[in-house]
Amino acid sequence: LNINGTTGISGVDGSVSAPALTGTDSNTGITFPSADTIKFSTGGVERMQITNSGVTGTGISAGKVLQMVTSSNNNNITTSGGAISDLTNVSITPASASNKILLMGTCGLITTASSNAYAGVYIYRGTSSGTLLYQVYSGYNSTTDIYFPYAITYVDSPNTTSAQTYTFSFSRQSVNTSSVSTATLNYSLTALEIAA
């Protein structure tokens, strides 16, 4: 056991039933079982673990939001032809492979059409050439410009503790829709990790 002003307390890893750092209760405290890992125990039972991948624990109830990542902007993005254009993306690293990722995307799109106006939005896991998770289209038989507001949600089960990127994209949905634009309107994508 080393105690000094440079290294602090070091040299003892401990165990869940006999933690390295305790108060007067010998089976309640902190242990260091492996590299990049800290465990907290009470009554000799592990309650929480912190690693470089995140936080897990028996005290985290299902449905609890563990972390949130969001990205938003209002750049003017225009797409034409059959191209799918990206609005924004977020990356999140699940603490547990059993946890869910709740995705929420919002945007407003303006179409320019010669005989009808149709647009669509998408959420992908990865890039817009990755796994399509959700899509929705809107349209109206009109020669005038049409504004379409979107507020979409999707729950993903990535089944991993590796970092996941999600991409929010849009496109036109009719050959008679000459272009679709964000027209400097706000758009955003939010990812929330939900305990399973």
Side-chain angles (χ1 to χ4, degrees), residues 9 19-20 41 56 71 95 124 158 177 189 191:
I9 300 173
S41 61
T56 58
S71 175
Y124 293 90
T177 304
L189 179 63

Side-chain angles (χ1 to χ4, degrees), residues 65-86:
V65 176
L66 303 181
Q67 61 174 316
M68 179 181 79
V69 180
T70 190
S71 175
S72 62
N73 213 317
N74 63 351
N75 292 335
N76 186 16
I77 304 173
T78 300
T79 186
S80 58
I84 295 175
S85 296
D86 294 345

